[in-house]
Amino acid sequence: MAEYDVVVIGGGPGGYVCAIRCGQLGLRVACVEGRGALGGTCLNVGCIPSKALLHATEMVHEAQENFGKMGITARGVEVDVPKMLAYKDGVIKANTQGIEFLFKKNKVDYVKGWGQILSATEVKVGDQTLKTRNIVIATGSEPASLKGVEIDEERVVTSTGALELTRVPKKMVVIGAGVIGLELGSVWSRLGAEVTVIEFLDHVTPGQDGEVQKHLQRILKKQGLSFVLGAAVQGVEKLKSKLKVTYKLRKDDSEQTLDTDVVLLATGRRPYTSGLGLEAAGVETERGMVKTDAHWRTSVPGIRAIGDVIAGPMLAHKAEDEGMAVAEEIAGKHGHVNYGVIPSVIYTSPEVSAVGQTEESLKAEGRKYKVGKFPFMANGRAKANLATEGFVKLLADAETDRILGCHVIGPAAGDLIHEVCVAMEFGAAAQDLALTCHAHPTFSEAMREAALACGDGAIHA
């Protein structure tokens, strides 16, 4: 029987980062993963492959729409979908094999198979039992189901199947206007599919700043996506040559139908804990999530949980932060995650990013705030790159000027947001950001201008 200081169940972003950090801290650690490849949903069927296809299809758009404007003549631009999928698979392989190398480098034992918790000190994997002082549950999440929608990953797909379509469907219906639905809907729309997004709520991207929601929907409509908001999908009927999607409009309860070739179910995700043996081990759950305290400890001493299986946003980087923090705590150090400074990104074109509070949340708590906005239309680099859609919105306390949140829709939004993350981590004021020199010409100047707009005013708008 192998003995460890820590056994991490799950090799996704939370699990593999936790295992590597444990190894760096001198702990004997094993990481159990049953998928056959490390990296979890993120690297295998989520974040990484979707970004590969988003990038590839954005290049198609650039060639078809913007090259001519820049004086570039590119004849015969064609899309080879199988070759594009092969490129995507190559990106996945490079990333997952990279984690295996890091495991060897940091003396992490990679145990292949599905883990089952027998007790606070034992994890069964196939025919072997691992003895351990600590267990970390990091089993991630799976796509949520919807009554009346039977998934086959061929015509009715989740994000997994949407990354494997070998030809461009003539029509696609996306159920859910969240991150996954809009990103993958954008991919297939740019490749020529007629995409309709059906959303239960009256707006896209739940939880985002209201102004950003409206602006993003307008941009995506211009790009060719259609939206049916305030609609509850009743079911998907599989016919021989097509699919029939039935939904009810919430405003009048009227029933409508849409014919399509492919349906993408993107109504969110749920914690994946199947086969873990949580109930038998005495680990408490609530609404499918593992219950933890402020130190990621479950109801059973010695067992902790991180990532998508516990409360909070289902984001890879949130899981990574928790993985590092738990490793630190197991090693007798202090683990820390600042849940008020966890950025989110939607990788549409343009990108959308956010950190901290929204105007809606500040109004709800009655906090006085000020807004600094700056449009990318007034940014020199954005003009040169033909990427002027969107804006930066910075929120600061009306009295102290402390930055409370930031929302960006525009070029490189996912990278730009981290400047504000660092500022918020150190309690910076909008003026601190405004007084910091930014290189010219860069997209990041829009961040400084938004900070200036919180004070006496932006220079270039």
Side-chain angles (χ1 to χ4, degrees):
M1 184 183 293
E3 294 191 12
Y4 295 95
D5 296 310
V6 188
V7 169
V8 181
I9 306 176
Y16 83 71
V17 167
C18 181
I20 289 171
R21 189 65 182 136
C22 284
Q24 290 175 339
L25 293 170
L27 300 171
R28 188 173 184 205
V29 56
C31 184
V32 179
E33 173 56 61
R35 184 187 294 272
L38 293 167
T41 293
C42 180
L43 266 65
N44 289 279
V45 292
C47 319
I48 298 301
S50 65
K51 301 315 162 284
L53 292 185
L54 281 160
H55 175 67
T57 57
E58 283 165 17
M59 294 300 98
V60 173
H61 172 80
E62 284 293 297
Q64 293 175 342
E65 302 294 329
N66 287 340
F67 275 14
K69 298 174 185 176
M70 294 183 282
I72 302 171
T73 301
R75 296 184 178 89
V77 176
E78 297 178 354
V79 174
D80 183 331
V81 174
K83 195 168 183 179
M84 188 178 286
L85 295 182
Y87 148 71
K88 178 260 301 179
D89 292 339
V91 173
I92 294 170
K93 186 176 180 180
N95 278 277
T96 56
Q97 289 182 343
I99 299 172
E100 290 192 41
F101 166 76
L102 292 173
F103 271 15
K104 292 175 183 177
K105 177 183 176 182
N106 292 285
K107 296 181 173 60
V108 177
D109 286 351
Y110 174 19
V111 182
K112 297 180 180 181
W114 299 102
Q116 179 186 357
I117 299 171
L118 301 180
S119 69
T121 59
E122 292 179 316
V123 175
K124 184 180 180 183
V125 186
D127 295 330
Q128 64 176 318
T129 300
L130 310 179
K131 188 78 174 174
T132 182
R133 295 180 179 84
N134 298 275
I135 296 172
V136 179
I137 300 169
T139 48
S141 60
E142 62 182 349
S145 57
L146 187 66
K147 186 179 179 181
V149 181
E150 183 184 346
I151 297 165
D152 57 25
E153 295 297 12
E154 292 179 358
R155 291 199 294 166
V156 181
V157 301
T158 64
S159 54
T160 300
L163 292 166
E164 295 294 336
L165 297 175
T166 55
R167 62 177 181 268
V168 181
K170 184 177 179 182
K171 293 183 179 181
M172 172 183 277
V173 167
V174 178
I175 304 175
V179 176
I180 295 171
L182 297 185
E183 287 185 358
L184 292 177
S186 293
V187 165
W188 292 105
S189 174
R190 281 195 286 269
L191 292 176
E194 182 184 315
V195 177
T196 301
V197 181
I198 302 176
E199 168 58 45
F200 181 77
L201 299 175
D202 296 320
H203 54 264
V204 302
T205 60
Q208 286 284 337
D209 175 87
E211 189 176 2
V212 170
Q213 290 172 338
K214 294 173 184 175
H215 200 78
L216 177 61
Q217 186 184 345
R218 284 197 299 270
I219 291 172
L220 294 178
K221 283 181 73 174
K222 284 197 296 183
Q223 292 177 3
L225 275 72
S226 299
F227 291 88
V228 180
L229 303 179
V233 172
Q234 305 299 299
V236 176
E237 184 182 1
K238 295 180 181 179
L239 304 175
K240 188 175 181 179
S241 61
K242 63 183 178 181
L243 302 170
K244 189 177 289 291
V245 181
T246 304
Y247 61 91
K248 281 187 177 180
L249 293 175
R250 290 168 49 222
K251 63 182 180 182
D252 57 14
D253 210 33
S254 63
E255 193 165 276
Q256 314 284 329
T257 61
L258 267 177
D259 291 341
T260 188
D261 302 303
V262 172
V263 169
L264 165 58
L265 182 62
T267 51
R269 299 180 65 83
R270 63 189 179 193
Y272 181 76
T273 57
S274 178
L276 265 179
L278 296 183
E279 187 175 351
V283 177
E284 290 184 20
T285 60
E286 186 175 31
R287 298 190 305 278
M289 293 181 292
V290 178
K291 289 180 65 176
T292 58
D293 64 12
H295 297 273
W296 308 280
R297 295 175 296 209
T298 70
S299 56
V300 178
I303 301 180
R304 294 173 171 83
I306 60 172
D308 288 3
V309 292
I310 69 172
M314 290 184 173
L315 297 170
H317 44 282
K318 176 255 196 187
E320 290 180 357
D321 259 26
E322 290 171 340
M324 290 185 65
V326 161
E328 298 281 339
E329 296 227 334
I330 291 173
K333 300 177 182 293
H334 176 66
H336 171 73
V337 176
N338 184 351
Y339 288 101
V341 187
I342 294 180
S344 64
V345 184
I346 305 171
Y347 296 90
T348 47
S349 182
E351 292 180 351
V352 176
S353 63
V355 67
Q357 293 188 267
T358 63
E359 281 202 75
E360 290 76 15
S361 66
L362 290 169
K363 287 175 182 175
E365 69 178 53
R367 188 164 185 176
K368 293 181 180 179
Y369 66 95
K370 51 188 175 180
V371 181
K373 276 185 65 179
F374 188 80
F376 280 101
M377 181 66 76
N379 176 267
R381 181 67 181 275
K383 289 178 183 177
N385 285 36
L386 301 177
T388 55
E389 292 270 22
F391 56 85
V392 175
K393 176 193 277 190
L394 194 69
L395 305 173
D397 187 277
E399 296 178 1
T400 66
D401 196 39
R402 185 168 183 165
I403 299 171
L404 303 175
C406 184
H407 306 272
V408 185
I409 176 169
D415 293 298
L416 294 178
I417 197 67
H418 297 100
E419 172 176 0
V420 178
C421 292
V422 173
M424 290 179 66
E425 193 68 44
F426 286 87
Q431 187 182 37
D432 294 323
L433 195 57
L435 293 176
T436 302
C437 186
H438 287 60
H440 174 77
T442 60
F443 297 133
S444 65
E445 288 177 286
M447 305 295 279
R448 185 185 193 183
E449 294 275 11
L452 284 164
C454 281
D456 296 329
I459 298 298
H460 293 93

